[in-house]
Amino acid sequence: MFPHVQCVFAGNRKLANVWTQRWFAAVHAALRQPRLPQVAEAVARYRTQPADGGLDARIRIAVLREMPARFAAEMLRAHFPEAPPVRIKRVLDQLRNEGRLQTEGRGRGTMWCRSESVDR
């Protein structure tokens, strides 16, 4: 059931064998037990929604693909009015630390530039 789960037991080998045997017995018993009707109904109604990576991912994609090669942070804030400025600044700083963005200037006149080596 869980081929990539590594379990480290801090006791002796005899206790580890007993624990493992009881754990698998509990899993087997849980699989044999019928689901409650309320749970079955909830599982039947559940529909997954595609994940877009969240606001930070949308900001990153906009910076790397949609914004001009040289832009001001105000342009990005206008593109994402629902995002707090601190969050936008954090994403910009992360991209700069990754080497994907560079800054020109200081303060309000700061321009953000995509690095030449950025993979699209």
Side-chain angles (χ1 to χ4, degrees):
M1 264 178 82
F2 308 104
H4 302 292
V5 173
Q6 182 179 14
C7 184
V8 178
F9 191 80
N12 60 32
R13 185 174 39 210
K14 185 175 181 180
L15 287 175
N17 286 335
V18 171
W19 181 89
T20 305
Q21 179 185 13
R22 291 191 179 161
W23 187 81
F24 281 111
V27 169
H28 181 67
L31 291 175
R32 284 186 302 159
Q33 193 172 20
R35 285 188 178 168
L36 295 174
Q38 298 88 350
V39 174
E41 291 171 10
V43 169
R45 286 189 309 234
Y46 180 72
R47 300 286 179 258
T48 59
Q49 297 177 352
D52 64 351
L55 181 60
D56 287 1
R58 290 195 310 264
I59 293 171
R60 288 177 64 93
I61 290 169
V63 167
L64 297 175
R65 297 185 185 157
E66 299 168 11
M67 299 301 280
R70 190 170 183 268
F71 63 94
E74 286 76 27
M75 293 173 63
L76 198 56
R77 286 189 195 111
H79 202 269
F80 294 98
E82 75 278 7
V86 174
R87 192 165 186 178
I88 292 174
K89 177 76 166 96
R90 185 186 68 220
V91 173
L92 289 172
D93 287 339
Q94 287 172 351
L95 288 169
R96 182 177 53 193
N97 292 338
E98 292 172 12
R100 294 174 170 253
L101 286 181
Q102 298 171 350
T103 56
E104 293 177 359
R106 287 250 183 239
R108 291 180 154 239
T110 302
M111 295 299 288
W112 293 86
C113 307
R114 278 197 300 270
S115 299
E116 313 306 330
S117 63
V118 172
D119 301 340
R120 286 191 173 212

